[in-house]
Amino acid sequence: MSSSLCLLTGATGGIGQAIAKALYAKGWKLLLVGRNAQALEKLSATCPDSEIFIGDLTDDTTRIHLAVKAKQLGGVKLLINNAGVNAMQSLEHTSSEQIDNMLSTNLSVPIKLCQLFLGQLQYTKGTIVNVGSSFGSIGYPYQTLYCASKFGLRGFTEALSRELNGSGVKVAYLAPRATDTTINNSKIRALNKELGNKMDSPKLVARELLALLDSNQTRRFIGFPEKLFVRINGAFPRIVDNAIAKQLPKIKRFLS
Ligand SMILES: NC(=O)c1ccc[n+]([C@@H]2O[C@H](COP(=O)([O-])OP(=O)(O)OC[C@H]3O[C@@H](n4cnc5c(N)ncnc54)[C@H](OP(=O)(O)O)[C@@H]3O)[C@@H](O)[C@H]2O)c1
């Protein structure tokens, strides 16, 4: 199968742009997806011959139109579910609409896109990469919905990867730690600085994605000590409970 089409969601975001440029340099043909037409066109000018698709992925009809467009382009060989949203707030002050939007954008949409594109990916013997987070393995206060969505995405990715074992379709999970993009508002940035949390560049995340694609790995966690904490939290969660309890007064200061 000769398709080299990569469908990238969240293409106009910080990590998305870096991934688009890295994949373009490797010879992939890109189908760049986002809601902001101007930002998509600007990005596609830096990756000539790329296709763009403008739309809100939480909309059912939009996703169907996207699948039709991808099929017309020869079918997707690489699906990267990268679009996502985040907010740091207490559950108490979160509206029902905010809950639905976070879970839909970060969890339901990637699941529905995997299902929708499965036929094309089986045909092309392709790959899915779902972009999660270290918060997909570590529950963090005031990030309850983000954690719920990314824990869900990690579980879904692992289960689907095992379900499709031997089918020719690879399903992988990439978990960045804090990365320098506008998904992190000034409060999150200030908190990360106060706690001494490192922030990666989007380019580093893109390099990690290329390394994941070149390997036979199905999961890749970025950054030390975060990837160690992921393991400690899995095996000895009480240790992480206690460490985060000590951070809580500082975290609360950045909420107001
Ligand atoms: N930055 C970090 O610290 C960090 C850490 C770990 C994991 N991640 C994950 O990395 C991924 C990329 O994040 P980023 O840092 O690059 O964030 P970003 O700069 O805010 O980009 C988010 C992208 O998602 C798109 N998007 C959001 N809702 C959408 C919707 N309903 N329909 C279509 N597109 C939608 C946005 O498109 P529009 O142009 O339409 O807004 C934008 O392109 C996310 O899944 C995030 O959870 C980020």
Side-chain angles (χ1 to χ4, degrees):
M1 177 67 223
S2 62
S3 170
S4 62
L5 182 67
C6 168
L7 189 164
L8 173 64
T9 73
T12 53
I15 291 175
Q17 289 189 41
I19 290 175
K21 288 170 188 167
L23 289 175
Y24 180 78
K26 288 274 174 192
W28 285 89
K29 178 167 176 61
L30 301 173
L31 175 51
L32 305 166
V33 185
R35 292 171 298 187
N36 181 331
Q38 224 182 349
L40 275 176
E41 270 153 21
K42 198 170 162 201
L43 176 62
S44 78
T46 67
C47 306
D49 299 325
S50 297
E51 298 281 338
I52 61 170
F53 182 91
I54 304 149
D56 185 331
L57 290 169
T58 60
D59 178 65
D60 292 345
T61 314
T62 300
R63 290 193 306 275
I64 304 284
H65 288 153
L66 177 60
V68 170
K69 173 150 186 166
K71 198 164 185 189
Q72 285 166 349
L73 294 170
V76 168
K77 174 84 174 169
L78 175 58
L79 168 63
I80 304 180
N81 280 307
N82 168 66
V85 286
N86 189 14
M88 183 171 80
Q89 61 189 22
S90 67
L91 184 62
E92 190 184 353
H93 294 108
T94 302
S95 68
S96 176
E97 289 74 23
Q98 287 172 318
I99 295 174
D100 289 346
N101 183 50
M102 180 87 72
L103 294 181
S104 173
T105 307
N106 292 3
L107 181 58
S108 301
V109 164
I111 291 173
K112 288 175 178 175
L113 287 176
C114 287
Q115 186 189 42
L116 187 61
F117 283 94
L118 205 49
Q120 292 187 27
L121 289 158
Q122 278 164 339
Y123 183 65
T124 59
K125 301 261 179 260
T127 299
I128 296 168
V129 179
N130 290 330
V131 179
S133 166
S134 15
F135 285 165
S137 302
I138 300 171
Y140 206 74
Y142 301 96
Q143 300 265 0
T144 53
L145 297 177
Y146 188 71
C147 289
S149 66
K150 296 294 187 179
F151 268 68
L153 186 64
R154 181 170 59 86
F156 167 76
T157 308
E158 184 175 275
L160 185 65
S161 172
R162 291 171 180 170
E163 185 169 315
L164 296 180
N165 186 25
S167 71
V169 178
K170 174 177 166 176
V171 186
Y173 178 78
L174 180 70
R177 63 175 172 182
T179 307
D180 188 6
T181 75
T182 53
I183 204 172
N184 297 307
N185 64 22
S186 55
K187 284 183 192 171
I188 298 183
R189 282 167 185 275
L191 175 63
N192 278 331
K193 200 170 172 197
E194 171 86 17
L195 296 176
N197 295 336
K198 290 199 182 104
M199 244 193 195
D200 288 324
S201 70
K203 272 188 183 168
L204 183 139
V205 176
R207 282 200 300 275
E208 292 282 335
L209 179 118
L210 292 184
L212 176 61
L213 292 177
D214 283 345
S215 73
N216 58 9
Q217 291 178 320
T218 52
R219 47 181 83 78
R220 195 171 177 96
F221 293 83
I222 303 175
F224 187 85
E226 285 77 357
K227 58 176 139 187
L228 175 64
F229 291 156
V230 163
R231 286 177 182 260
I232 294 173
N233 195 56
F236 307 106
R238 285 293 296 275
I239 294 176
V240 181
D241 288 347
N242 292 335
I244 292 178
K246 286 189 189 129
Q247 293 181 344
L248 201 55
K250 280 186 185 170
I251 298 169
K252 283 183 177 169
R253 264 203 289 124
F254 285 89
L255 281 171
S256 50

